[in-house]
Amino acid sequence: MADDDGMDTAGGRAALDAASEVDRLVREHRLDAAADVARTALASAHLPLRPAARLRLTLSSILLMSGHPDQSIVQADVVAAQAGLDERTHTSAQLARLLALMAQGELAAARVPAATLLAETPPADPYESLGGAFTTMGSIAWTDGRVADSIAFFRAAIARAEGGQLAERAMHPRQSVSIPLTLLGQFDEAAAFLAEDAEDATTPAANGWRIGTHVRRSRLLFARGQIDGAIAEAVTGIELADASGARLFVPTARSTLASAALLAGDLIGAAAELVRGEDEPLAARGSLVPSMSAWIQARIAYEQHGPTLAVKTLSEVFDNLPANKRILLEEPGIAPWMVRTALAADDRRRAATVVAATDHLAADNPGMAPVGAIARHARGIFDEDVDGLTEGAALHSQPWPRASAAEDAGTLTAHADPAGARALLA
């Protein structure tokens, strides 16, 4: 007699064989081959419903980590639409879809499904469904520029992960929370969360997330001013991705390497890293990487051709600041740079829009000193306000924007008080 999965039928045995082969290939870090086996089995065999759904969700996960979240969504949607599956399988499909939407930066499309999961009473799995929904809502809050809300949602998701196996199965909220904590200068806590997540990501299926911990740690070290360490972590992440085919985090690693090269004055190296990043699957670049790449390209353009071309290169960010709150937060130096560059290009209108955007961001995050620092720094440049720039320097939590604000204050002071300028830059 067949069990509920029909595993002793011909289709059931084919499902077991395919799942076993996919698992073997994943263990060997051969994700493309694993995806091919899963696709072939799903297309050619009459698999029982539930084994087919499990195999399809495995394929969805493989496609996500391979850098194809768009294709991952397609597989998850097939499972979500199938009748006759248990509620937990449907929940897993919903979470797979949410994760892929976040990887693409399509957070507006994730808002309603995440809220629906939160509203389920009782949830199919209180750890997986609520943890995944909280992680999604945290990412949405971060993209909307609501720092405290994002951290609260991520911490709620982490609490769920500690009650179950979320870090192995779903959203990895500890990686997500490291990003706002880095903005706030809470570097040690962010590093601790990444270390915990790396300890949990031990199975072959979690290899892509282990790569993510290296890439996130690279961003963290860069923010701390530890550039050599940041480069080493990014390179490790890329090497692991090259060995396994799990390319989801490679575009972010490439942008960090490009930023490091630019900081060292290596324009050719920075441009080369951007070109390598463009070789990655387009759907893996999310919403932040294109803006990051545009900023790096604009800085290269500034050095080679001056501020007018730099502003033009970054025009999509200048002209759509409400959709770019995330980069204003994750890169505290970009807004002041944009104001300074727009003014140098005699584009006072664009400079004013950046100042207004950072003022709104600060107003939306009362008590968040590093967010206020971004606003004070940007407005200080625009208003030629030495006191505002000095305040911004004191409030910045990261060394590079802090030094930039101090340099801006020193440059402004130098025109009227050379001795005072030397004191500011000392």
Side-chain angles (χ1 to χ4, degrees), residues 262 294-303 306-307 309-314 318 331-344 354 374 377-378 381 404 408:
L262 197 57
W295 184 35
I296 294 166
Q297 288 170 340
R299 291 156 72 190
I300 295 172
Y302 190 106
E303 295 298 324
L309 183 60
V311 171
K312 182 178 180 181
T313 303
L314 200 56
F318 270 108
E331 291 290 337
I334 188 173
W337 184 91
M338 291 171 73
V339 174
R340 191 185 309 111
T341 303
L343 291 174
V354 177
I374 297 169
H377 190 175
I381 295 169
S404 174
D408 288 328

Side-chain angles (χ1 to χ4, degrees), residues 74-406:
V74 172
Q75 299 300 327
D77 282 348
V78 171
V79 177
Q82 285 180 323
L85 293 171
D86 60 279
E87 190 175 359
R88 184 168 179 176
T89 300
H90 278 137
T91 296
S92 295
Q94 290 173 295
L95 290 173
R97 188 174 198 277
L98 286 177
L99 196 54
L101 287 170
M102 287 194 293
Q104 285 185 290
E106 298 288 345
L107 293 179
R111 191 183 302 268
V112 171
T116 301
L117 281 174
L118 286 175
E120 282 185 0
T121 308
D125 181 328
Y127 297 121
E128 190 169 7
S129 61
L130 292 182
F134 281 136
T135 303
T136 305
M137 296 303 290
S139 296
I140 291 169
W142 179 244
T143 302
D144 288 345
R146 296 180 284 114
V147 179
D149 288 347
S150 73
I151 292 173
F153 278 124
F154 290 141
R155 289 193 187 281
I158 290 166
R160 295 290 172 180
E162 291 173 348
Q165 295 295 321
L166 180 65
E168 286 284 346
R169 293 184 300 171
M171 300 290 202
H172 295 255
R174 287 176 287 201
Q175 290 194 33
S176 298
V177 79
S178 72
I179 300 170
L181 290 177
T182 297
L183 165 71
L184 298 182
Q186 297 175 20
F187 302 126
D188 290 342
E189 186 178 14
F193 276 129
L194 290 174
E196 290 173 8
D197 203 71
E199 289 175 4
D200 279 346
T202 56
T203 65
N207 181 62
W209 291 107
R210 190 161 55 254
I211 293 169
T213 63
H214 287 285
V215 175
R216 299 295 192 201
R217 193 177 295 118
S218 173
R219 299 289 300 158
L220 168 62
L221 291 172
F222 191 92
R224 297 188 86 156
Q226 298 174 5
I227 305 304
D228 289 344
I231 292 170
E233 288 288 348
V235 169
T236 296
I238 291 169
E239 289 174 346
L240 290 172
D242 289 343
S244 68
R247 310 206 65 79
L248 181 64
F249 294 99
V250 173
T252 301
R254 291 289 181 198
S255 70
T256 302
L257 291 177
S259 295
L262 197 57
L263 198 62
D266 181 5
L267 304 185
I268 294 174
E273 289 298 342
L274 292 181
V275 170
R276 294 184 186 105
E278 289 172 359
D279 289 338
E280 298 301 319
L282 180 63
R285 299 179 204 171
S287 59
L288 180 68
V289 171
S291 298
M292 275 287 298
S293 297
W295 184 35
I296 294 166
Q297 288 170 340
R299 291 156 72 190
I300 295 172
Y302 190 106
E303 295 298 324
Q304 294 178 333
H305 304 289
T308 300
L309 183 60
V311 171
K312 182 178 180 181
T313 303
L314 200 56
S315 60
E316 290 189 11
V317 177
F318 270 108
D319 298 338
N320 195 13
L321 289 166
N324 282 283
K325 293 178 181 178
R326 180 180 172 188
I327 194 171
L328 298 182
L329 294 171
E330 292 193 31
E331 291 290 337
I334 188 173
W337 184 91
M338 291 171 73
V339 174
R340 191 185 309 111
T341 303
L343 291 174
D346 199 24
D347 192 342
R348 195 168 181 84
R349 179 190 64 81
R350 277 196 170 112
T353 62
V354 177
V355 172
T358 59
D359 283 345
H360 284 304
L361 204 55
D364 289 342
N365 292 278
M368 296 284 179
V371 184
I374 297 169
R376 284 174 173 81
H377 190 175
R379 182 165 287 284
I381 295 169
F382 188 80
D383 292 341
E384 298 185 353
D385 177 8
V386 174
D387 290 340
L389 289 167
T390 304
E391 262 187 62
L395 293 173
H396 274 303
S397 64
Q398 298 177 13
W400 301 118
R402 185 186 306 127
S404 174

